[in-house]
Amino acid sequence: MQKTDFFNVGAAVLAALALAQPAVAQSANSKSVVDAAKAQGVVGEQADGFLGFVKPASDPAIQAAVAEINAGRAQLYREAAAKNGVSEAAAGASAYNTVVQSLLKPGEYYKPAGGAWTRK
């Protein structure tokens, strides 16, 4: 996949997110739970476009919120992949590269492809 393809898929994911926010992505509660877990260094963003656990989370609310948001992202990636003729994995990686990285806040964790958890 070429760099322009990544941009196009990332843009498609971003557009889908903007248009389908209420139907797809997450509840306000899940978002606030995940935002708090990110601030605490429990949850971070992964290069595949999904949330991951930086350290084990025993709180069922955090686990449920991550699962809900990841399910919404998976749906967006399926739609973007189908629209752009790429794999779901490519759509997720493109979203991470073109959307998610730019939204990371100082102190939050991310995990680049093939890398370890890193703090911004």
Side-chain angles (χ1 to χ4, degrees):
M1 180 180 289
Q2 297 176 352
K3 189 173 185 173
T4 56
D5 292 335
F6 268 123
F7 177 76
N8 291 338
V9 174
V13 171
L14 182 59
L17 182 60
L19 295 174
Q21 186 74 20
V24 179
Q26 65 226 5
S27 69
N29 183 58
S30 289
K31 182 175 178 348
S32 66
V33 168
V34 166
D35 287 347
K38 283 180 171 182
Q40 296 167 0
V42 174
V43 172
E45 296 285 351
Q46 301 177 139
D48 62 1
F50 291 99
L51 295 168
F53 291 98
V54 178
K55 50 187 169 186
S58 58
D59 184 344
I62 294 173
Q63 293 172 349
V66 166
E68 179 182 340
I69 290 172
N70 280 344
R73 288 182 181 189
Q75 178 63 35
L76 288 174
Y77 301 157
R78 278 191 294 278
E79 292 169 8
K83 182 177 180 179
N84 291 283
V86 299
S87 70
E88 292 173 28
S94 177
Y96 173 79
N97 288 322
T98 59
V99 179
V100 174
Q101 280 186 325
S102 66
L103 300 175
L104 287 170
K105 298 175 185 163
E108 290 184 345
Y109 284 85
Y110 63 95
K111 188 176 186 181
W117 287 109
T118 304
R119 193 171 198 178
K120 181 173 179 181

